[in-house]
Amino acid sequence: MYCPDEIERILISEDEIKAKVAEMGRVLTEEYKDKNPLFICVLKGSVVFFADLMREMHCPLEINFLKASSYGSSTVSAGTVKLDVGAGIEFEGRHVVIVEDILDTARTLYSLKNDLITRNPASLKIVTLLDKPSRRVVKGFTADYTGFAIDDLFVVGYGLDYDERFRNLPYVGTLKPEVYS
Ligand code: IMP
């Protein structure tokens, strides 16, 4: 298995992720099977989770992509969120499901949710693979569906990066502190 030197340890294995994504797909299929939902991938970090989750959805759905960024090459959120809410995506009357890689301070999803609500979707729910509840800045903000709650650790892999690296690892791992200190 490919495990770069910079990885300290594997926090969530490929098998654990696979089982969890299948379980989330089962629950979401049940909820959305008659709703032709619009699944939104929040680029770039969600792309791997999104691709796996949509293939665990056994019902009609449509997909689209948005870009949101708050981190540069640091492991601490910049505190500002840049949103590029897709021009040309029609949200009105749709059952929208935002698919995110990780919920941290929640600034990104708070901004995104507030923006999308003004576009009159029939419903709007948030799915996240990972959640770091202890890092929340937007108090009380939660996802509707969460894969794994984790401690306050900076993690990479399965789509998540540090300075654009490690997105291709099939597991979620922690970085050795010397990589970012
Ligand atoms: P929030 O706005 O602080 O909730 O940040 C959400 C975004 O920050 C995520 O979509 C990730 O791109 C990034 N992020 C937060 N925590 C981590 C982490 O541990 N590793 C990699 N990226 C992270």
Side-chain angles (χ1 to χ4, degrees):
M1 187 182 42
Y2 172 49
C3 193
D5 283 347
E6 294 95 332
I7 299 299
E8 185 176 55
R9 71 186 169 101
I10 295 176
L11 192 66
I12 310 173
S13 72
E14 194 173 353
D15 285 350
E16 286 172 302
I17 294 172
K18 208 171 171 166
K20 182 63 76 177
V21 174
E23 180 193 320
M24 294 175 93
R26 274 194 297 277
V27 173
L28 289 165
T29 298
E30 198 45 44
E31 172 156 355
Y32 287 100
K33 62 183 178 223
D34 302 315
K35 295 183 177 161
N36 188 30
L38 176 60
F39 271 51
I40 300 290
C41 175
V42 185
L43 294 169
K44 298 175 195 170
S46 304
V47 70
V48 182
F49 174 45
F50 188 81
D52 285 346
L53 182 65
M54 67 186 252
R55 286 175 294 172
E56 296 291 348
M57 293 296 298
H58 304 295
C59 65
L61 59 76
E62 294 173 26
I63 65 166
N64 222 315
F65 301 86
L66 292 180
K67 180 131 182 67
S69 45
S70 61
Y71 281 55
S73 59
S74 150
T75 57
V76 180
S77 176
T80 51
V81 179
K82 280 193 292 178
L83 286 180
D84 175 11
V85 175
I89 305 180
E90 189 51 76
F91 294 97
E92 182 145 359
R94 301 301 306 270
H95 292 281
V96 176
V97 180
I98 303 173
V99 180
E100 181 59 297
D101 50 0
I102 189 164
L103 188 51
D104 184 31
T105 65
R107 285 186 176 117
T108 309
L109 284 177
Y110 179 73
S111 305
L112 187 56
K113 200 172 175 185
N114 285 344
D115 183 305
L116 295 188
I117 279 170
T118 66
R119 296 162 193 252
N120 300 320
S123 66
L124 179 60
K125 289 209 172 167
I126 292 173
V127 178
T128 185
L129 179 70
L130 303 174
D131 186 5
K132 292 197 265 193
S134 63
R135 292 258 312 151
R136 203 70 89 246
V137 169
V138 184
K139 296 292 174 209
F141 193 98
T142 54
D144 299 284
Y145 301 94
T146 299
F148 302 93
I150 62 170
D151 292 337
D152 180 9
L153 299 165
F154 190 80
V155 291
V156 294
Y158 201 67
L160 290 154
D161 75 308
Y162 171 66
D163 204 10
E164 293 302 327
R165 300 174 60 205
F166 311 111
R167 292 193 197 274
N168 58 322
L169 302 178
Y171 47 81
V172 171
T174 57
L175 280 181
K176 290 182 181 158
E178 59 263 32
V179 179
Y180 52 83
S181 58

